[in-house]
Short mmCIF file of all heavy atoms in Angstrom, two decimals:
data_model
loop_
_atom_site.label_atom_id
_atom_site.label_comp_id
_atom_site.label_asym_id
_atom_site.label_seq_id
_atom_site.Cartn_x
_atom_site.Cartn_y
_atom_site.Cartn_z
N HIS A 32 0.84 -1.21 0.00
CA HIS A 32 0.00 0.00 0.00
C HIS A 32 0.87 1.26 0.00
O HIS A 32 0.57 2.23 -0.71
CB HIS A 32 -0.92 -0.01 1.23
CG HIS A 32 -1.69 1.25 1.42
ND1 HIS A 32 -2.69 1.67 0.55
CD2 HIS A 32 -1.60 2.23 2.38
CE1 HIS A 32 -3.19 2.82 0.97
NE2 HIS A 32 -2.54 3.19 2.06
N GLN A 33 1.94 1.26 0.80
CA GLN A 33 2.79 2.43 0.92
C GLN A 33 3.60 2.70 -0.36
O GLN A 33 3.89 3.84 -0.70
CB GLN A 33 3.75 2.27 2.11
CG GLN A 33 3.05 2.20 3.45
CD GLN A 33 2.30 3.47 3.80
OE1 GLN A 33 2.72 4.57 3.45
NE2 GLN A 33 1.17 3.34 4.49
N SER A 34 3.97 1.64 -1.06
CA SER A 34 4.81 1.80 -2.25
C SER A 34 4.02 1.64 -3.55
O SER A 34 4.61 1.52 -4.63
CB SER A 34 5.95 0.77 -2.21
OG SER A 34 5.44 -0.55 -2.11
N PHE A 35 2.70 1.65 -3.44
CA PHE A 35 1.81 1.33 -4.56
C PHE A 35 2.13 2.13 -5.83
O PHE A 35 2.32 1.56 -6.91
CB PHE A 35 0.36 1.57 -4.13
CG PHE A 35 -0.67 1.21 -5.16
CD1 PHE A 35 -1.12 -0.09 -5.29
CD2 PHE A 35 -1.19 2.17 -6.02
CE1 PHE A 35 -2.08 -0.44 -6.25
CE2 PHE A 35 -2.13 1.84 -6.98
CZ PHE A 35 -2.58 0.53 -7.09
N ASN A 36 2.20 3.44 -5.72
CA ASN A 36 2.37 4.28 -6.92
C ASN A 36 3.73 4.07 -7.58
O ASN A 36 3.82 3.94 -8.81
CB ASN A 36 2.18 5.76 -6.57
CG ASN A 36 0.74 6.09 -6.22
OD1 ASN A 36 -0.19 5.47 -6.72
ND2 ASN A 36 0.55 7.07 -5.34
N LEU A 37 4.79 4.06 -6.78
CA LEU A 37 6.13 3.86 -7.33
C LEU A 37 6.27 2.49 -7.97
O LEU A 37 6.77 2.35 -9.09
CB LEU A 37 7.18 4.05 -6.24
CG LEU A 37 8.63 3.79 -6.66
CD1 LEU A 37 9.04 4.67 -7.82
CD2 LEU A 37 9.57 3.99 -5.48
N VAL A 38 5.80 1.45 -7.26
CA VAL A 38 5.92 0.09 -7.78
C VAL A 38 5.12 -0.07 -9.07
O VAL A 38 5.58 -0.69 -10.03
CB VAL A 38 5.47 -0.93 -6.71
CG1 VAL A 38 5.33 -2.33 -7.32
CG2 VAL A 38 6.47 -0.96 -5.57
N ASN A 39 3.93 0.50 -9.12
CA ASN A 39 3.14 0.41 -10.35
C ASN A 39 3.83 1.08 -11.53
O ASN A 39 3.79 0.58 -12.66
CB ASN A 39 1.76 1.03 -10.14
CG ASN A 39 0.69 -0.04 -9.93
OD1 ASN A 39 0.99 -1.23 -9.89
ND2 ASN A 39 -0.55 0.38 -9.81
N THR A 40 4.47 2.22 -11.28
CA THR A 40 5.18 2.91 -12.35
C THR A 40 6.34 2.06 -12.86
O THR A 40 6.57 1.94 -14.07
CB THR A 40 5.70 4.27 -11.86
OG1 THR A 40 4.59 5.06 -11.41
CG2 THR A 40 6.41 5.02 -12.98
N VAL A 41 7.08 1.45 -11.93
CA VAL A 41 8.19 0.58 -12.33
C VAL A 41 7.67 -0.64 -13.08
O VAL A 41 8.22 -1.03 -14.11
CB VAL A 41 9.02 0.16 -11.11
CG1 VAL A 41 10.10 -0.84 -11.52
CG2 VAL A 41 9.66 1.38 -10.46
N LEU A 42 6.60 -1.25 -12.58
CA LEU A 42 6.03 -2.43 -13.24
C LEU A 42 5.69 -2.13 -14.70
O LEU A 42 6.00 -2.91 -15.60
CB LEU A 42 4.78 -2.90 -12.50
CG LEU A 42 5.01 -3.67 -11.20
CD1 LEU A 42 3.69 -3.86 -10.44
CD2 LEU A 42 5.65 -5.03 -11.46
N GLU A 43 5.05 -1.01 -14.92
CA GLU A 43 4.68 -0.66 -16.30
C GLU A 43 5.91 -0.38 -17.15
O GLU A 43 5.95 -0.72 -18.33
CB GLU A 43 3.75 0.55 -16.28
CG GLU A 43 2.37 0.25 -15.71
CD GLU A 43 1.43 1.42 -15.82
OE1 GLU A 43 1.48 2.30 -14.93
OE2 GLU A 43 0.65 1.46 -16.78
N SER A 44 6.94 0.23 -16.55
CA SER A 44 8.15 0.57 -17.30
C SER A 44 8.95 -0.66 -17.71
O SER A 44 9.65 -0.63 -18.72
CB SER A 44 9.05 1.49 -16.46
OG SER A 44 8.40 2.72 -16.20
N VAL A 45 8.84 -1.75 -16.93
CA VAL A 45 9.59 -2.97 -17.27
C VAL A 45 8.69 -3.99 -17.98
O VAL A 45 8.98 -5.17 -18.02
CB VAL A 45 10.23 -3.60 -16.01
CG1 VAL A 45 11.20 -2.63 -15.36
CG2 VAL A 45 9.18 -4.08 -15.01
N LYS A 46 7.58 -3.49 -18.55
CA LYS A 46 6.65 -4.30 -19.34
C LYS A 46 5.90 -5.33 -18.50
O LYS A 46 5.56 -6.41 -18.97
CB LYS A 46 7.38 -4.99 -20.50
CG LYS A 46 8.07 -4.02 -21.44
CD LYS A 46 8.81 -4.74 -22.55
CE LYS A 46 9.55 -3.76 -23.45
NZ LYS A 46 10.34 -4.44 -24.51
N GLY A 47 5.65 -4.96 -17.25
CA GLY A 47 4.85 -5.81 -16.39
C GLY A 47 3.42 -5.30 -16.32
O GLY A 47 3.05 -4.34 -16.99
N ASP A 48 2.61 -5.97 -15.51
CA ASP A 48 1.22 -5.56 -15.30
C ASP A 48 1.12 -4.76 -14.01
O ASP A 48 1.60 -5.22 -12.96
CB ASP A 48 0.31 -6.79 -15.18
CG ASP A 48 0.33 -7.66 -16.44
OD1 ASP A 48 0.41 -7.09 -17.54
OD2 ASP A 48 0.27 -8.90 -16.29
N PRO A 49 0.52 -3.57 -14.05
CA PRO A 49 0.36 -2.80 -12.81
C PRO A 49 -0.59 -3.50 -11.84
O PRO A 49 -1.43 -4.29 -12.25
CB PRO A 49 -0.24 -1.47 -13.29
CG PRO A 49 -0.92 -1.81 -14.58
CD PRO A 49 -0.10 -2.89 -15.21
N ILE A 50 -0.40 -3.23 -10.56
CA ILE A 50 -1.33 -3.74 -9.56
C ILE A 50 -2.68 -3.07 -9.79
O ILE A 50 -2.76 -1.85 -9.93
CB ILE A 50 -0.83 -3.42 -8.13
CG1 ILE A 50 0.59 -3.94 -7.93
CG2 ILE A 50 -1.76 -4.03 -7.09
CD1 ILE A 50 0.75 -5.41 -8.13
N ASN A 51 -3.72 -3.87 -9.81
CA ASN A 51 -5.04 -3.36 -10.15
C ASN A 51 -5.58 -2.42 -9.08
O ASN A 51 -5.43 -2.68 -7.88
CB ASN A 51 -6.01 -4.52 -10.35
CG ASN A 51 -6.75 -4.41 -11.67
OD1 ASN A 51 -7.36 -3.40 -11.94
ND2 ASN A 51 -6.66 -5.46 -12.48
N SER A 52 -6.20 -1.35 -9.51
CA SER A 52 -6.80 -0.40 -8.56
C SER A 52 -8.31 -0.33 -8.72
O SER A 52 -8.97 0.43 -8.00
CB SER A 52 -6.19 0.99 -8.76
OG SER A 52 -6.41 1.45 -10.09
N ASN A 53 -8.86 -1.09 -9.64
CA ASN A 53 -10.30 -1.04 -9.90
C ASN A 53 -11.01 -2.25 -9.31
O ASN A 53 -10.60 -3.39 -9.53
CB ASN A 53 -10.57 -1.00 -11.41
CG ASN A 53 -9.99 0.24 -12.06
OD1 ASN A 53 -10.07 1.34 -11.51
ND2 ASN A 53 -9.37 0.08 -13.22
N SER A 54 -12.08 -1.99 -8.56
CA SER A 54 -12.88 -3.06 -7.98
C SER A 54 -13.66 -3.79 -9.08
O SER A 54 -14.13 -3.14 -10.04
CB SER A 54 -13.85 -2.48 -6.95
OG SER A 54 -14.53 -3.49 -6.28
N PRO A 55 -13.81 -5.12 -8.99
CA PRO A 55 -13.37 -6.03 -7.91
C PRO A 55 -11.95 -6.55 -8.08
O PRO A 55 -11.47 -7.32 -7.26
CB PRO A 55 -14.37 -7.18 -8.04
CG PRO A 55 -14.60 -7.28 -9.52
CD PRO A 55 -14.60 -5.85 -10.03
N TYR A 56 -11.26 -6.13 -9.15
CA TYR A 56 -9.95 -6.72 -9.45
C TYR A 56 -8.84 -6.22 -8.54
O TYR A 56 -7.72 -6.72 -8.58
CB TYR A 56 -9.60 -6.48 -10.92
CG TYR A 56 -10.64 -7.04 -11.86
CD1 TYR A 56 -11.56 -6.20 -12.49
CD2 TYR A 56 -10.73 -8.41 -12.08
CE1 TYR A 56 -12.53 -6.72 -13.33
CE2 TYR A 56 -11.71 -8.93 -12.92
CZ TYR A 56 -12.60 -8.09 -13.54
OH TYR A 56 -13.57 -8.59 -14.36
N CYS A 57 -9.13 -5.20 -7.72
CA CYS A 57 -8.13 -4.69 -6.80
C CYS A 57 -7.98 -5.58 -5.56
O CYS A 57 -7.09 -5.35 -4.74
CB CYS A 57 -8.48 -3.27 -6.36
SG CYS A 57 -10.04 -3.13 -5.47
N TRP A 58 -8.86 -6.58 -5.42
CA TRP A 58 -8.79 -7.48 -4.26
C TRP A 58 -7.93 -8.69 -4.61
O TRP A 58 -8.22 -9.42 -5.54
CB TRP A 58 -10.19 -7.92 -3.84
CG TRP A 58 -11.00 -6.77 -3.33
CD1 TRP A 58 -11.93 -6.06 -4.01
CD2 TRP A 58 -10.93 -6.20 -2.02
NE1 TRP A 58 -12.45 -5.06 -3.21
CE2 TRP A 58 -11.86 -5.13 -1.98
CE3 TRP A 58 -10.18 -6.49 -0.87
CZ2 TRP A 58 -12.05 -4.35 -0.86
CZ3 TRP A 58 -10.37 -5.71 0.25
CH2 TRP A 58 -11.29 -4.66 0.26
N TYR A 59 -6.87 -8.89 -3.82
CA TYR A 59 -5.90 -9.96 -4.07
C TYR A 59 -5.95 -10.99 -2.94
O TYR A 59 -6.00 -10.64 -1.76
CB TYR A 59 -4.49 -9.38 -4.16
CG TYR A 59 -4.24 -8.64 -5.45
CD1 TYR A 59 -4.65 -7.32 -5.60
CD2 TYR A 59 -3.61 -9.26 -6.53
CE1 TYR A 59 -4.44 -6.63 -6.79
CE2 TYR A 59 -3.39 -8.58 -7.73
CZ TYR A 59 -3.81 -7.28 -7.85
OH TYR A 59 -3.60 -6.59 -9.03
N TRP A 60 -5.89 -12.26 -3.35
CA TRP A 60 -5.83 -13.32 -2.35
C TRP A 60 -4.54 -13.22 -1.54
O TRP A 60 -3.46 -12.94 -2.08
CB TRP A 60 -5.85 -14.69 -3.02
CG TRP A 60 -7.20 -15.19 -3.44
CD1 TRP A 60 -7.61 -15.46 -4.72
CD2 TRP A 60 -8.31 -15.49 -2.59
NE1 TRP A 60 -8.92 -15.90 -4.72
CE2 TRP A 60 -9.37 -15.93 -3.42
CE3 TRP A 60 -8.53 -15.42 -1.22
CZ2 TRP A 60 -10.62 -16.31 -2.93
CZ3 TRP A 60 -9.77 -15.79 -0.72
CH2 TRP A 60 -10.80 -16.23 -1.55
N THR A 61 -4.66 -13.45 -0.24
CA THR A 61 -3.50 -13.69 0.63
C THR A 61 -3.53 -15.17 1.01
O THR A 61 -4.51 -15.87 0.75
CB THR A 61 -3.54 -12.83 1.91
OG1 THR A 61 -4.51 -13.39 2.82
CG2 THR A 61 -3.90 -11.38 1.59
N SER A 62 -2.47 -15.63 1.65
CA SER A 62 -2.45 -17.02 2.10
C SER A 62 -2.90 -17.16 3.55
O SER A 62 -2.80 -18.23 4.14
CB SER A 62 -1.04 -17.60 1.95
OG SER A 62 -0.11 -16.85 2.73
N THR A 63 -3.40 -16.07 4.13
CA THR A 63 -3.87 -16.09 5.51
C THR A 63 -5.32 -16.55 5.56
O THR A 63 -6.20 -15.88 5.02
CB THR A 63 -3.74 -14.69 6.15
OG1 THR A 63 -2.38 -14.24 6.01
CG2 THR A 63 -4.12 -14.73 7.62
N GLU A 64 -5.54 -17.70 6.19
CA GLU A 64 -6.88 -18.26 6.29
C GLU A 64 -7.66 -17.65 7.46
O GLU A 64 -7.07 -17.09 8.40
CB GLU A 64 -6.81 -19.77 6.48
CG GLU A 64 -6.53 -20.57 5.23
CD GLU A 64 -6.73 -22.05 5.44
OE1 GLU A 64 -5.92 -22.66 6.18
OE2 GLU A 64 -7.69 -22.60 4.87
N ILE A 65 -8.95 -17.79 7.38
CA ILE A 65 -9.82 -17.42 8.50
C ILE A 65 -10.43 -18.69 9.09
O ILE A 65 -10.39 -18.94 10.29
CB ILE A 65 -10.93 -16.45 8.05
CG1 ILE A 65 -10.29 -15.17 7.50
CG2 ILE A 65 -11.88 -16.13 9.21
CD1 ILE A 65 -11.28 -14.23 6.86
N ASN A 66 -10.99 -19.51 8.22
CA ASN A 66 -11.57 -20.79 8.60
C ASN A 66 -11.71 -21.64 7.34
O ASN A 66 -11.15 -21.29 6.30
CB ASN A 66 -12.93 -20.59 9.30
CG ASN A 66 -13.85 -19.67 8.50
OD1 ASN A 66 -13.95 -19.78 7.27
ND2 ASN A 66 -14.52 -18.74 9.18
N ALA A 67 -12.47 -22.72 7.42
CA ALA A 67 -12.62 -23.61 6.26
C ALA A 67 -13.31 -22.92 5.08
O ALA A 67 -13.06 -23.26 3.93
CB ALA A 67 -13.40 -24.86 6.66
N LEU A 68 -14.15 -21.96 5.37
CA LEU A 68 -14.91 -21.29 4.31
C LEU A 68 -14.19 -20.08 3.73
O LEU A 68 -14.25 -19.84 2.52
CB LEU A 68 -16.27 -20.84 4.86
CG LEU A 68 -17.20 -20.10 3.89
CD1 LEU A 68 -17.57 -21.00 2.71
CD2 LEU A 68 -18.44 -19.58 4.61
#
């Protein structure tokens, strides 16, 4: 979150995909579980 703008600029400059900022695609899975569901 803190480095979002700089990292996105670098990603685009090196022909990568920027981190999405538009809902619902701005939501990224983490590996932290809550429960079975």
